[in-house]
Amino acid sequence: MNLSADWTRVETNDTPSPRASAAIAFDEVRANVVLFGGFDVSQGGHSDTWIFDGADWTEADPPSRPSDRATNNLCWCPRSERLVLVTGVRFSRTGGHNPLTGEPAWSKQNLCDTWIFDGENWQELRRSQYPNYVHQAMATDLQSGHVIVSGGIAAGPKTLIGVFLLRDRRESPLVDDTWIFNGENWLELDLKARPSHRQFAAMSSCPDERGVLLFGGHGGEGRPQHLGDTWIFDGENWQEIHPPISLSPRQGACMTYDSMNGQIVLFGGKDANGYLNDTWILNLSG
C-alpha cells in the first residue's frame, strides 16, 4: 500500500489561544470539531469552548460550562448524540516560580465530574455514580453506542498528579474499574477478568464494531511499571489477547481506529528509557 500525506496549515480568522492538553472531539450530528479547555504555563487553565467547521474557529458562548482544566477525555456518545467530557486537572498558582525557567509555578487538583455538550450548552451530569478518576482510558464502543472508561487514578480535591504511593494493591490510588456511559447514566461493571490497575493506557474503538481495545499504561502492584498487555472489551467482558508480535511496554501512547483501512493505529508513548516515536498497526481477525 502506497500512501502519500501532507500537513497543511489552515489560516483562520480567529483561533483559540496557545495551549496544550485541550480536549477535542468530532460531533457526528452537527458535523464539526469541538475543543474545550487546556493549559498554558503563563495563563493557567482554560474553560473556553471552540467550534471548528473545517475552515474557521468560532468561540461558543454557552450559558454554562465546566471549570477550567486540562483533559483529553472528550468523546462522542452515539446513544445520546452528544459529547461527553470526563474529569480533568485544574491548576492554581502557588505564588512561586520555577527556579530553572522562571515561569509561574502551579499546583494541580484532580477534578471528578462529567459534562455533556449538545452543540450549544454544557450541562453537568449529576449522578450518584460516576468514574471518579483522572488519566483513565476512554473510547466509544461503536457496537453498543456506549462510552467506555477503564482504569485511572482516584480523583479528589487533595489528590496530586504524578505521585505514586508504594502501597499494596488494595490501598493503591490506581484503579482497575470499568464504567460505561449509556447516554444518561454511568454504570460500573462488576467484572472478574479485566486489565490490572493502571493509568495512561491507550484505548480506541475496534474494527467491525467489536467494542474497544486497550493497550499498556503505567501501573503495577506495589512498584510502578510500564505495561505492554492488550485487551478487548466486547461490551460485556474483557479478554486479554496475545498477538504473536507485540510492541514494548509503555504509557501515554495515542491510539485510534482507522475506519478507512479497518485497522488500529498506535503511535509513540513513553517507556523507562524515554519518549518513543514508533508507529504500529493492529489488524484483528477471527
Side-chain angles (χ1 to χ4, degrees):
M1 178 175 60
N2 295 319
L3 295 175
S4 62
D6 291 296
W7 287 102
T8 301
R9 180 167 182 171
V10 179
E11 298 295 340
T12 60
N13 294 321
D14 203 356
T15 185
S17 61
R19 68 193 65 192
S21 301
I24 192 168
F26 184 70
D27 185 323
E28 297 282 352
V29 169
R30 285 153 282 273
N32 54 34
V33 172
V34 177
L35 179 147
F36 176 80
F39 173 82
D40 75 88
V41 73
S42 61
Q43 300 296 321
H46 298 278
S47 63
D48 46 354
T49 301
W50 290 80
I51 308 295
F52 184 68
D53 62 7
D56 210 350
W57 286 102
T58 302
E59 184 173 4
D61 186 23
S64 62
R65 68 182 69 185
S67 60
D68 56 279
R69 69 189 62 200
T71 178
N72 61 356
N73 286 330
L74 181 64
C75 202
W76 174 251
C77 178
R79 281 287 186 103
S80 65
E81 297 189 337
R82 295 177 294 177
L83 294 171
V84 183
L85 179 75
V86 183
T87 67
V89 180
R90 191 174 190 183
F91 293 82
S92 301
R93 289 184 183 272
T94 65
H97 290 79
N98 186 311
L100 298 179
T101 66
E103 296 174 332
W106 299 85
S107 63
K108 305 173 184 180
Q109 173 190 347
N110 291 350
L111 302 171
C112 47
D113 51 2
T114 298
W115 290 78
I116 307 295
F117 186 65
D118 62 7
E120 296 183 357
N121 193 27
W122 288 98
Q123 180 182 0
E124 185 173 5
L125 183 72
R126 297 181 181 274
R127 297 290 188 270
S128 59
Q129 294 189 81
Y130 53 89
N132 182 19
Y133 321 119
V134 294
H135 306 322
Q136 66 272 67
M138 181 174 172
T140 301
D141 179 352
L142 299 175
Q143 181 177 15
S144 66
H146 294 154
V147 173
I148 311 299
V149 166
S150 175
I153 186 169
K158 296 183 179 179
T159 305
L160 295 179
I161 285 181
V163 177
F164 271 101
L165 303 180
L166 301 184
R167 303 172 177 176
D168 93 326
R169 175 173 179 170
R170 291 168 298 177
E171 298 176 333
S172 173
L174 293 174
V175 297
D176 60 356
D177 301 349
T178 299
W179 292 75
I180 64 171
F181 181 68
N182 63 11
E184 296 183 1
N185 297 291
W186 284 106
L187 304 172
E188 183 179 5
L189 303 183
D190 184 14
L191 304 174
K192 293 182 179 180
R194 55 187 170 182
S196 60
H197 295 64
R198 68 190 65 201
Q199 60 180 334
F200 300 120
M203 185 187 283
S204 77
S205 304
C206 279
D208 302 323
E209 300 183 354
R210 301 184 188 198
V212 298
L213 183 129
L214 179 145
F215 175 82
H218 197 253
E221 299 178 20
R223 189 172 185 178
Q225 60 178 304
H226 291 94
L227 303 171
D229 47 350
T230 303
W231 293 77
I232 285 183
F233 180 70
D234 64 6
E236 296 182 355
N237 296 290
W238 284 102
Q239 178 185 356
E240 186 174 4
I241 61 175
H242 303 277
I245 299 176
S246 186
L247 55 163
S248 61
R250 64 190 68 195
Q251 63 167 315
C254 57
M255 186 167 69
T256 191
Y257 168 45
D258 174 1
S259 60
M260 179 66 70
N261 295 295
Q263 58 195 13
I264 294 171
V265 181
L266 182 146
F267 176 81
K270 182 182 179 184
D271 63 13
N273 297 315
Y275 292 93
L276 304 165
N277 67 342
D278 48 349
T279 301
W280 292 79
I281 291 175
L282 177 67
N283 290 293
L284 295 173
S285 60

